Amino acid sequence: MGLITGLLTLPLAPVRGVVWVAEQLYAQARRELTDATAIRARLAEVEAARASGAISEEEATAQENELVRLLWQSEDADGGLEV
């Protein structure tokens, strides 16, 4: 970037910074949602909540189904199931 281009686009620097931060947040959230270890931990939390009676059987089943679907998607994206 040249000196003149840098000076002319300087007012846009805060916007570029905000966009960069938003992209980083999105990427991190995406990693957390598709990380098999995190999904397994969430499955364990659902099971603990079911055992303690904090959530109903139907709600636990629905959450588990969604988490298993995410787990399958993440493992398919990684190239297969880990046994």
Side-chain angles (χ1 to χ4, degrees):
M1 184 181 319
L3 178 61
I4 294 178
T5 304
L7 290 174
L8 291 175
T9 60
L10 189 60
L12 296 176
V15 173
R16 286 194 306 256
V18 169
V19 169
W20 181 83
V21 168
E23 289 171 347
Q24 298 305 309
L25 289 172
Y26 175 78
Q28 180 64 29
R30 191 92 176 130
R31 280 190 296 273
E32 289 178 12
L33 285 175
T34 59
D35 179 45
T37 305
I39 295 171
R40 287 185 181 105
R42 289 170 47 204
L43 277 167
E45 291 171 3
V46 170
E47 183 58 34
R50 173 191 285 157
S52 71
I55 60 175
S56 68
E57 189 70 29
E58 294 82 21
E59 187 177 348
T61 301
Q63 288 181 19
E64 285 174 345
N65 289 339
E66 179 63 19
L67 290 169
V68 168
R69 185 185 65 76
L70 289 173
L71 186 61
W72 277 96
Q73 286 179 347
S74 72
E75 289 176 345
D76 284 343
D78 289 342
L81 292 174
E82 297 174 11
V83 178

